[in-house]
Amino acid sequence: MSATPVWIAVMLYMVATAVYLARLFSGRERWGRAGCWILAAGLGLHTVGILLRWVEKCRLVEADRPAGWLGQITFVMENAPLANLYESMVFFSWSIVLVFLLLDRKYGLDMLGAAVSPLAAVVVALVSVLPGVSGEIEPHIPALQSYWLTIHVVTCFLAYAAFAISFVTSIIYLSSGADRKAEQGKMSKTTLEEINYNTATVGFLMLTIGIVTGAVWANYAWGSYWSWDNKETWSLITWFIYAALLHARLVASLKGKWMAILSIVGFGAVLFTFFGVNYLLPGLHSYL
Amino acid sequence: MRVLSFFKSVKLAIALILVLAASSVIGTLFPQDLPPHRGVLEYGESGYRVLEFLGVFDLYHSGWFRLLVVLLAVNILVCSTSRLRRTYRLVMWKGGTGHGEAPAGLPLRRTREMDESPDVLLPRLGERVRRLGLRVRFEGEGTLRADRGGIGRWGPGLSHLGFLVIISGMVIGSITGFRGNLDLLEGETDNRVYLRSGEIVDLPFEIRCDSFEATFYEGTARPKEYASRLAVVEGGEERLEKRIEVNDPLKYRGYWFYQSTYGTLGPAPGEGWIDLAVQPEDVLIHLEMGERKPIEGTADEVELLRFEPDFVMDENREVTSRSEQIRNPAAQIRVYREGKPVFRQWVFGQFPDVHPRAEIAHVFSLTGYETREFTGLQVAYDPGVPVVWVGCGFLILGLFLSFTVPHRRFWARVERRGGGATLRVAAGSRGGGRFFEESIDSLLEELSKEDARS
């Protein structure tokens, strides 16, 4: 039941892709605004889908619902639909669209819509392709029964989403010509550089909070705030790469091109942290 | 001084950060804390020795990895302290160029000729700049300066300080703290913690486990909750009682006790019992560990030698337990005929007739055994943890200030020229300067229009 709105949202993201492409080729800003509204509608449905699943998950363990408002909040946060690969991919896609729309309001990113919208659609579509991904609703194992689950996972995925947009910007930056001024229907390299930096700062701040909240949680659950678990280590590697990116802006010879390269490498590290660690390396984060 | 200027480099920082990232990758490619005999099997004798020397099996605690962290820490310390003075001067409007000239570090420069006199122009300009959200101060001699968000300039310093504090906290923890395991049977009291290094630490108080409980979601094998009821006993007195579960540890005097594992112990050397069924005599014998009893109706006796909860035989035919869970329970018994030992045999709980011996004419099966639940606690003592949290707080607050509070500065000087005035403006913003510069330009535009109207 909760999956249907999400799939409709995916279709809307595909429609938005087409509209954003029209904006790119026609050069008319009207198309960009239309794409933005279609994405927003998709995001609304996506949100409904996630909330429906959240309610279903809470119902599943209804018998354990504690009394008192604090207990209620804890209970709801413990049962957030963020506990396995299926749920996190659906949420990753949601984060990409949300962060894109927010940053679009601030920096005017509609030129990137044609690349970001299909990304959001593909992430959800992947759940039906990847091996071992089940959409079944299951109650949480003891290790995940903590309100830190919601705080930790949400901040991490907001970071990943910002990095995804930084990645798309960097690809466009490297593939556009040497001319630093804006050509007809294209963004100038200086603007792309600025967007790359600004999205990276948003992602870096969120990733830092994500790692710290993960450490606080680990200190409650595993008896150590840092155990060099493979997922922890890869999140730190990602953090290092983006730290290098932010500092590269201070060095004239590294500004621009190297920031774009680091953003692409950094997003590779993000993907490895998310998927690679689970498929290729053993570790404590075995549930996700 | 030469060393100092070597470390005062952002390029060095970037290089060190990337080298640290690449080194961290290596640690995820090799198993950490690999037992030597497994390592030799996997990589060969000499291969293992080379890799061991390079520290890849305990990479994050190896000398060279720590050296890299120390180099980065020194780098950060030198860079950050050398920036402090510059930051202070920028925030406090100290220094800069000569009298009546715009201060340094303000990239946007504009000059306008105006018709009105400075006495009208300056307050009007001040009002417009105030509307941009800047704090305006009139300096006299037709000079105005305004700023906002100076605190944002301290963001990078604060976040780098946070990074250094986190590292200090980790160092404190690794010197003064420890992590280990404490397994307790239900009803047992103990204070000995086994560290991974093999060392044993005696806690200054004792922990008692009153009960352990593992529950599962109805109708499934999916675990729902692992919980132990613990009590702290100090000097014979009970100080604290708490039911701990995963994600909810017991804390007492800086020691944290976590629900980590659990298991069921069968009979151990010197304690416990089994029930043994014997065919074709069809008798049931209750045997204590080490006890010898006659098999009714025969001249034979049977003795219980050993019990393993998860029987496994390795390549040298040595018997051990694969785990501490009762998965493949097995008891070793010895049969005596006319007082003399005749043979030994393993009897399995799950496979009743594995090795019936025809010549003895008895078929044994293991029908029961004593079980005792134990809870596996992880014990952590780490005085560095609060330091790490303070560092994390600095780091996050510093990043917030750096990325969300732009330091915007505006300077203007109005000089009388005939009936009108010359307006000189300088402005700059740290982080996202484009929007600020645009708003300054449109401000000047409006000011000129108003000037032309009057």
Side-chain angles (χ1 to χ4, degrees):
Chain A
M1 178 180 99
S2 61
T4 319
V6 175
W7 284 111
I8 300 173
V10 169
M11 281 179 235
L12 284 175
Y13 296 157
M14 269 137 63
V15 174
T17 309
V19 174
Y20 273 124
L21 279 173
R23 187 257 175 270
L24 269 188
F25 289 111
S26 71
R28 284 194 195 144
E29 286 186 15
R30 236 189 322 179
W31 286 105
R33 276 197 297 279
C36 174
W37 281 110
I38 295 168
L39 268 193
L43 184 69
L45 278 169
H46 204 148
T47 313
V48 169
I50 291 175
L51 289 178
L52 281 175
R53 191 180 172 95
W54 202 332
V55 170
E56 276 179 66
K57 289 191 78 162
C58 286
R59 287 232 179 98
L60 205 60
V61 285
E62 187 66 40
D64 303 314
R65 185 187 276 270
W69 62 272
L70 201 65
Q72 297 279 331
I73 293 173
T74 312
F75 174 80
V76 169
M77 280 173 80
E78 275 180 12
N79 288 292
L82 303 166
N84 57 31
L85 201 53
Y86 173 88
E87 290 171 349
S88 61
M89 303 249 305
V90 169
F91 185 73
F92 184 27
S93 167
W94 182 86
S95 322
I96 291 175
V97 180
L98 176 78
V99 173
F100 175 75
L101 289 175
L102 288 178
L103 292 177
D104 180 42
R105 277 183 69 90
K106 190 155 183 210
Y107 302 115
L109 304 181
D110 61 340
M111 301 282 223
L112 305 180
V116 174
S117 323
L119 189 67
V122 163
V123 169
V124 178
L126 269 178
V127 297
S128 50
V129 182
L130 284 174
V133 180
S134 156
E136 214 177 306
I137 292 183
E138 285 175 319
H140 293 177
I141 57 168
L144 293 176
Q145 293 165 13
S146 167
Y147 54 84
W148 288 105
L149 168 76
T150 306
I151 305 170
H152 170 60
V153 176
V154 166
T155 46
C156 285
F157 278 103
L158 290 179
Y160 293 176
F163 290 147
I165 294 164
S166 166
F167 165 77
V168 168
T169 315
S170 299
I171 295 275
I172 297 172
Y173 178 90
L174 289 181
S175 57
S176 58
D179 190 9
R180 293 190 76 85
K181 288 202 196 91
E183 289 168 41
Q184 179 61 36
K186 280 187 183 169
M187 289 163 110
S188 78
K189 288 202 108 169
T190 320
T191 311
L192 287 169
E193 205 176 289
E194 204 167 302
I195 292 169
N196 185 16
Y197 178 76
N198 287 328
T199 47
T201 59
V202 172
F204 191 71
L205 178 60
M206 284 299 153
L207 182 63
T208 308
I209 300 175
I211 292 176
V212 169
T213 53
V216 173
W217 185 12
N219 197 45
Y220 269 94
W222 296 337
S224 169
Y225 58 88
W226 195 264
S227 343
W228 295 102
D229 159 62
N230 278 325
K231 196 137 200 143
E232 286 176 351
T233 308
W234 270 95
S235 71
L236 183 68
I237 292 165
T238 309
W239 192 82
F240 277 143
I241 295 172
Y242 285 101
L245 184 155
L246 299 183
H247 288 90
R249 203 176 79 124
L250 302 174
V251 180
S253 58
L254 299 178
K255 209 178 160 181
K257 189 181 164 194
W258 277 99
M259 284 169 65
I261 291 171
L262 282 169
S263 164
I264 290 166
V265 175
F267 193 63
V270 167
L271 292 181
F272 195 82
T273 309
F274 188 10
F275 301 111
V277 172
N278 289 94
Y279 281 105
L280 302 172
L281 303 172
L284 293 165
H285 268 87
S286 49
Y287 29 81
L288 181 71
Chain B
M1 263 349 259
R2 284 264 281 289
V3 179
L4 219 60
S5 64
F6 171 74
F7 278 112
K8 201 176 136 184
S9 153
V10 181
K11 270 190 198 166
L12 176 71
I14 294 171
L16 280 174
I17 291 169
L18 291 177
V19 170
L20 266 173
S23 314
S24 303
V25 175
I26 298 171
T28 66
L29 299 179
F30 293 93
Q32 302 292 294
D33 285 320
L34 188 71
H37 68 275
R38 291 261 322 278
V40 171
L41 276 177
E42 192 109 348
Y43 303 98
E45 182 78 46
S46 50
Y48 176 75
R49 220 176 288 160
V50 171
L51 291 170
E52 171 72 27
F53 176 75
L54 293 173
V56 299
F57 299 118
D58 193 14
L59 190 117
Y60 309 108
H61 306 101
S62 69
W64 64 272
F65 191 82
R66 285 181 165 164
L67 178 71
L68 283 173
V69 175
V70 169
L71 287 177
L72 182 63
V74 173
N75 184 197
I76 288 173
L77 195 65
V78 173
C79 283
S80 300
T81 46
S82 72
R83 283 178 63 100
L84 281 181
R85 200 178 126 84
R86 207 173 84 90
T87 305
Y88 176 78
R89 294 173 75 85
L90 274 170
V91 173
M92 303 308 284
W93 294 87
K94 296 270 195 264
T97 47
H99 178 76
E101 292 298 313
L106 298 177
L108 180 107
R109 302 284 167 122
R110 300 280 184 270
T111 306
R112 297 274 164 110
E113 300 298 337
M114 299 298 212
D115 294 333
E116 286 199 83
S117 74
D119 309 328
V120 182
L121 211 50
L122 203 61
R124 194 183 285 164
L125 178 65
E127 185 47 39
R128 288 197 176 270
V129 173
R130 194 172 286 125
R131 262 185 255 156
L132 281 183
L134 271 61
R135 266 179 322 171
V136 179
R137 220 171 305 162
F138 296 99
E139 296 283 285
E141 298 178 46
T143 311
L144 173 160
R145 68 176 205 215
D147 64 1
R148 186 72 190 252
I151 197 170
R153 287 259 179 214
W154 299 104
L158 189 61
S159 55
H160 286 97
L161 176 67
F163 188 81
L164 296 177
V165 171
I166 291 171
I167 293 177
S168 327
M170 293 178 108
V171 172
I172 293 171
S174 71
I175 293 171
T176 61
F178 66 83
R179 286 190 172 76
N181 297 304
L182 173 62
D183 291 351
L184 289 172
L185 290 165
E186 284 178 325
E188 198 183 13
T189 309
D190 202 353
N191 73 332
R192 290 191 305 166
V193 179
Y194 291 81
L195 310 192
R196 262 230 302 252
S197 60
E199 271 177 88
I200 298 174
V201 172
D202 289 320
L203 300 176
F205 50 86
E206 292 184 304
I207 296 290
R208 188 182 70 225
C209 171
D210 290 329
S211 65
F212 171 79
E213 192 185 15
T215 49
F216 297 85
Y217 288 108
E218 226 179 298
T220 65
R222 197 174 169 80
K224 180 177 179 185
E225 187 179 73
Y226 305 127
S228 304
R229 203 169 274 288
L230 300 183
V232 176
V233 182
E234 197 169 11
E237 264 179 75
E238 195 177 302
R239 292 293 160 96
L240 185 68
E241 229 186 337
K242 183 179 161 85
R243 181 177 182 273
I244 68 160
E245 51 181 282
V246 183
N247 275 310
D248 189 12
L250 164 77
K251 299 163 221 169
Y252 186 70
R253 287 184 24 189
Y255 297 86
W256 290 41
F257 298 86
Y258 301 85
Q259 183 65 55
S260 172
T261 59
Y262 71 99
T264 313
L265 287 184
E271 53 187 345
W273 50 262
I274 65 165
D275 280 333
L276 201 62
V278 190
Q279 302 295 343
E281 290 80 4
D282 197 22
V283 291
L284 193 70
I285 304 175
H286 181 85
L287 273 176
E288 294 286 335
M289 194 60 103
E291 193 185 18
R292 187 163 143 185
K293 270 186 178 172
I295 302 170
E296 273 174 63
T298 69
D300 297 347
E301 292 168 295
V302 60
E303 181 189 13
L304 173 59
L305 299 174
R306 197 175 154 188
F307 181 91
E308 293 297 340
D310 192 2
F311 178 95
V312 64
M313 192 179 269
D314 70 11
E315 52 261 51
N316 306 322
R317 301 184 62 81
E318 293 271 356
V319 170
T320 51
S321 247
R322 200 197 316 258
S323 71
E324 288 187 290
Q325 315 288 332
I326 297 193
R327 293 213 176 96
N328 184 19
Q332 194 184 32
I333 55 169
R334 185 189 274 149
V335 176
Y336 294 83
R337 180 156 291 174
E338 290 156 4
K340 287 192 188 112
V342 201
F343 75 99
R344 283 187 306 179
Q345 178 190 349
W346 282 97
V347 185
F348 295 88
Q350 293 179 345
F351 315 99
D353 298 319
V354 184
H355 299 298
R357 297 272 188 112
E359 71 272 21
I360 300 300
H362 302 302
V363 177
F364 297 101
S365 48
L366 182 63
T367 55
Y369 40 82
E370 184 182 19
T371 58
R372 288 164 304 163
E373 301 279 320
F374 77 90
T375 184
L377 304 179
Q378 188 174 345
V379 185
Y381 176 73
D382 189 346
V385 170
V387 180
V388 170
W389 297 150
V390 169
C392 289
F394 285 174
L395 178 61
I396 291 173
L397 183 63
L399 292 178
F400 253 112
L401 291 177
S402 306
F403 300 148
T404 62
V405 185
H407 183 210
R408 293 176 297 174
R409 293 193 299 157
F410 178 88
W411 176 95
R413 190 174 170 87
V414 188
E415 275 160 2
R416 197 173 296 276
R417 187 189 53 85
T422 304
L423 169 65
R424 276 184 300 139
V425 163
S429 165
R430 181 189 166 276
R434 196 162 52 113
F435 298 105
F436 182 60
E437 290 180 6
E438 279 167 11
S439 60
I440 294 294
D441 271 331
S442 61
L443 178 149
L444 288 177
E445 209 55 51
E446 283 173 37
L447 201 68
S448 300
K449 272 185 206 153
E450 203 173 336
D451 188 65
R453 269 203 301 276
S454 57

